[in-house]
Amino acid sequence: GAVVSQHPSRVICKSGTSVKIECRSLDFQATTMFWYRQFPKQSLMLMATSNEGSKATYEQGVEKDKFLINHASLTLSTLTVTSAHPEDSSFYICSARLRLGGNEAFFGQGTRLTVV
Amino acid sequence: GDSVTQMEGPVTLSEEAFLTINCTYTATGYPSLFWYVQYPGEGLQLLLKATKADDKGSNKGFEATYRKETTSFHLEKGSVQVSDSAVYFCALSDGNAGKSTFGDGTTLTVKP
C-alpha cells in the first residue's frame, strides 16, 4: 500500500524558535497533501490543504503566517511552525491523496511537538 | 458542510465481549467512509473502508457496512481482545477535495 512518511516523529523546541515538519509520499505522487492538528484526547482538525506548486488553502482560524506550508514537489510537503509558543504544542499529522484519484488518504505517523 | 458524529466514549469491555461503535455522517455527494485506529502516542492506521452504499469493510475481525439510507457506518467486532484497546475514529472523505472529516474518536479499553 501507499506509504507516507513524516519526520520528525517527536521534537522539542524553545519558545520563539521555528520548527519544520516534513511529509513525504514514498511510493506515489501526491498533488494534494493535508495537514491536521490533534489536541490531547481530541479529534483531528484540518489546518490546511497543500497543493503542489501553488499556495496552500488554510481553514478558517488557522494563521497562515504562523503555520507556513510549502509543497515544492509531488512527494514532499513541509509545515513550518514559526515563532513557536507553548500553546502550539500538539500532535501534527499529514496525509496525502493519490495523484490519480481515489478517495483514500494515507496518513503519516504524526509529529509530537512540544514547545518549552 | 460535512460532519461525522461518533458514539461518545470511553467504552470499557471485557475480553471476548461484542463491540459496537456507532457512527453517522452528514455529507453532500457520495463520500467514502473509513475507520481509523490510533494507539497511544502513534499516528493513524486505516482499519477498514467502504467506498459506496452497501459495501462492507472488514479487517482483523472488525466490520462496518456503509448504510446510505441511515447515513451510518457502525463499527463492530464479535470478540474483542486486550490488544484492541485504542482510540477509534470514524471519518469520511470528500471525493472532490479529498480532505477527511473525522468524528471525535471513541476510546476503547478492553480488560482481561
Side-chain angles (χ1 to χ4, degrees):
Chain A
V3 178
V4 175
S5 176
Q6 197 171 330
H7 177 80
S9 57
R10 294 176 184 274
V11 58
I12 300 173
C13 71
K14 293 184 178 180
S15 289
T17 61
S18 296
V19 175
K20 180 184 285 188
I21 303 170
E22 294 186 346
C23 180
R24 293 181 184 272
S25 56
L26 296 186
D27 50 2
F28 67 100
Q29 293 180 324
T31 52
T32 305
M33 292 185 174
F34 305 92
W35 287 96
Y36 296 84
R37 183 173 180 177
Q38 185 182 29
F39 291 99
K41 299 186 179 181
Q42 294 189 27
S43 188
L44 283 76
M45 302 301 297
L46 179 66
M47 298 175 65
T49 302
S50 171
N51 299 299
E52 186 265 338
S54 64
K55 291 183 178 180
T57 304
Y58 290 82
E59 296 298 302
Q60 191 172 8
V62 178
E63 299 177 61
K64 59 182 66 177
D65 293 332
K66 179 162 191 63
F67 299 100
L68 300 179
I69 291 173
N70 183 278
H71 195 154
S73 75
L74 286 170
T75 59
L76 174 64
S77 175
T78 60
L79 167 67
T80 301
V81 183
T82 63
S83 187
H85 291 284
E87 56 265 31
D88 298 325
S89 299
S90 193
F91 195 57
Y92 294 88
I93 303 178
C94 71
S95 72
R97 186 185 183 197
L98 283 168
R99 182 184 188 186
L100 297 180
N103 290 347
E104 184 174 350
F106 300 91
F107 286 83
Q109 307 95 317
T111 297
R112 172 73 61 194
L113 169 63
T114 303
V115 184
V116 297
Chain B
D2 297 345
S3 66
V4 176
T5 302
Q6 203 173 321
M7 184 174 94
E8 289 187 21
V11 174
T12 302
L13 296 174
S14 297
E15 206 164 22
E16 298 184 1
F18 184 85
L19 169 71
T20 298
I21 302 177
N22 290 338
C23 172
T24 57
Y25 68 91
T26 302
T28 56
Y30 303 96
S32 293
L33 303 175
F34 306 86
W35 277 100
Y36 292 92
V37 58
Q38 184 178 36
Y39 297 100
E42 298 184 13
L44 294 182
Q45 297 179 26
L46 176 65
L47 182 60
L48 54 83
K49 67 177 180 179
T51 57
K52 61 183 187 295
D54 299 327
D55 269 2
K56 177 187 282 188
S58 61
N59 185 28
K60 300 180 181 179
F62 290 90
E63 294 183 341
T65 301
Y66 190 144
R67 300 289 188 197
K68 189 178 179 185
E69 63 277 12
T70 54
T71 61
S72 64
F73 193 56
H74 305 321
L75 182 68
E76 296 182 337
K77 185 174 186 182
S79 176
V80 294
Q81 305 300 314
V82 173
S83 57
D84 293 327
S85 298
V87 181
Y88 292 82
F89 291 95
C90 184
L92 66 82
S93 179
D94 176 338
N96 293 325
K99 61 184 180 181
S100 301
T101 301
F102 290 85
D104 289 339
T106 301
T107 300
L108 170 67
T109 302
V110 180
K111 296 187 174 180

